[in-house]
Amino acid sequence: MNPLSVFEAIGHFFYWILYLVNPDFKEEQKIKEIERKEHLQLVSKIEKRKAQESNKKEFEENRLTKINNNEDLLKICLDDPVFCDNNIILKEKIEEEIKNPDRRKIFEEEWKNTFKSINYGCYCRNETNLYIYPKCPIDDISLDQACKLRHDCLKSENKTWVDSDSCKTDFLSFLERIPYSNKTNLETFSNEDVFIFTANKYKALLKIKNKIN
């Protein structure tokens, strides 16, 4: 038998004897185990945050390189409308790109698809859904109510939700009161964050369309 194995077995034997007969030792071991788990959780959180920051930096650098090289401009813009609305150079490049009728057509289609893909509450969606929540609109003086008013206006003009030039004045006026947020981690979003994120996306898309149209 390996001598080390014998010593390990003896060590384990005395450890468990001490653990069973000494209440103070048992409590001390429990505390150490709790501290060990807390330490591991902290290390894991730090490593996860570092990885997220590294990935974010790499993503932003790649995005900037693509903009400088005039690559995927429409996709970059519509994937992150708030970033696009805040980036004058990107918008100017897109304005130049969509002078080509084929590129303009693609931009129009992708803009509509992006606008239609947003869903919030009962009315902030391409087709209203009055059965998804117990109360519609889900708020009386906020985003879902603003979307309801726009839907009512569009219906009166026989227009659709993606008709960006119709019934937008009051809607955009409401959205303008909500500043752009830098918060992007969807995993930590509260209900308020979701509201702000959605309103920001609508606002950015409408402003981009106004600018580039």
Side-chain angles (χ1 to χ4, degrees):
M1 180 180 290
N2 189 331
L4 290 177
S5 299
V6 174
F7 284 121
E8 286 178 1
I10 294 172
H12 282 300
F13 173 77
F14 282 110
Y15 172 88
W16 286 110
I17 291 295
L18 187 60
Y19 185 87
L20 293 172
V21 302
N22 188 333
D24 292 338
F25 180 77
K26 184 186 296 186
E27 188 63 27
E28 182 181 330
Q29 293 305 302
K30 287 181 179 179
I31 293 172
K32 285 183 178 180
E33 180 63 15
I34 292 172
E35 291 175 344
R36 185 186 70 82
K37 289 181 179 179
E38 289 177 346
H39 174 72
L40 290 176
Q41 289 175 351
L42 179 60
V43 170
S44 177
K45 286 181 180 179
I46 292 173
E47 290 177 348
K48 183 178 180 181
R49 185 168 65 248
K50 285 182 178 179
Q52 289 174 338
E53 290 173 353
S54 176
N55 291 339
K56 181 181 178 182
K57 182 179 179 181
E58 182 180 358
F59 170 78
E60 290 175 347
E61 289 175 349
N62 289 339
R63 182 166 63 179
L64 181 59
T65 299
K66 285 186 175 183
I67 293 172
N68 290 335
N69 294 335
N70 295 326
E71 298 176 12
D72 298 334
L73 298 180
L74 300 185
K75 184 178 187 306
I76 290 171
C77 180
L78 296 176
D79 278 352
D80 190 346
V82 172
F83 167 80
C84 184
D85 188 42
N86 285 326
N87 193 305
I88 296 173
I89 293 175
L90 176 56
K91 287 188 291 187
E92 289 177 347
K93 284 175 175 282
I94 291 175
E95 280 187 278
E96 186 65 28
E97 180 175 338
I98 64 174
K99 288 179 180 178
N100 179 315
D102 290 337
R103 298 303 294 167
R104 171 172 284 278
K105 183 178 179 181
I106 291 173
F107 170 74
E108 295 282 352
E109 290 175 352
E110 291 303 316
W111 186 94
K112 288 181 179 180
N113 289 336
T114 304
F115 200 81
K116 285 195 296 186
S117 71
I118 304 172
N119 293 305
Y120 176 89
C122 307
Y123 292 94
C124 297
R125 49 187 70 238
N126 188 48
E127 294 184 5
T128 60
N129 187 337
L130 305 185
Y131 304 100
I132 194 169
Y133 293 103
K135 176 179 178 291
C136 291
I138 60 173
D139 45 47
D140 294 325
I141 55 173
S142 195
L143 181 57
D144 204 27
Q145 174 66 17
C147 289
K148 178 184 184 302
L149 294 176
R150 182 167 189 260
H151 267 295
D152 291 344
C153 176
L154 290 166
K155 185 177 180 180
S156 69
E157 296 185 8
N158 199 27
K159 300 288 186 178
T160 68
W161 184 242
V162 293
D163 287 321
S164 60
D165 293 329
S166 300
C167 300
K168 68 180 181 182
T169 303
D170 290 342
F171 188 51
L172 193 52
S173 177
F174 168 81
L175 297 173
E176 287 284 14
R177 301 201 300 266
I178 305 167
Y180 283 144
S181 170
N182 294 323
K183 197 167 184 180
T184 57
N185 186 0
L186 298 177
E187 294 179 3
T188 62
F189 268 21
S190 65
N191 289 339
E192 180 73 8
D193 292 327
V194 173
F195 154 68
I196 293 172
F197 177 82
T198 306
N200 284 174
K201 194 168 184 179
Y202 274 136
K203 177 172 72 171
L205 284 169
L206 289 171
K207 291 179 70 176
I208 290 166
K209 194 68 161 46
N210 288 345
K211 169 66 176 175
I212 297 176
N213 205 6

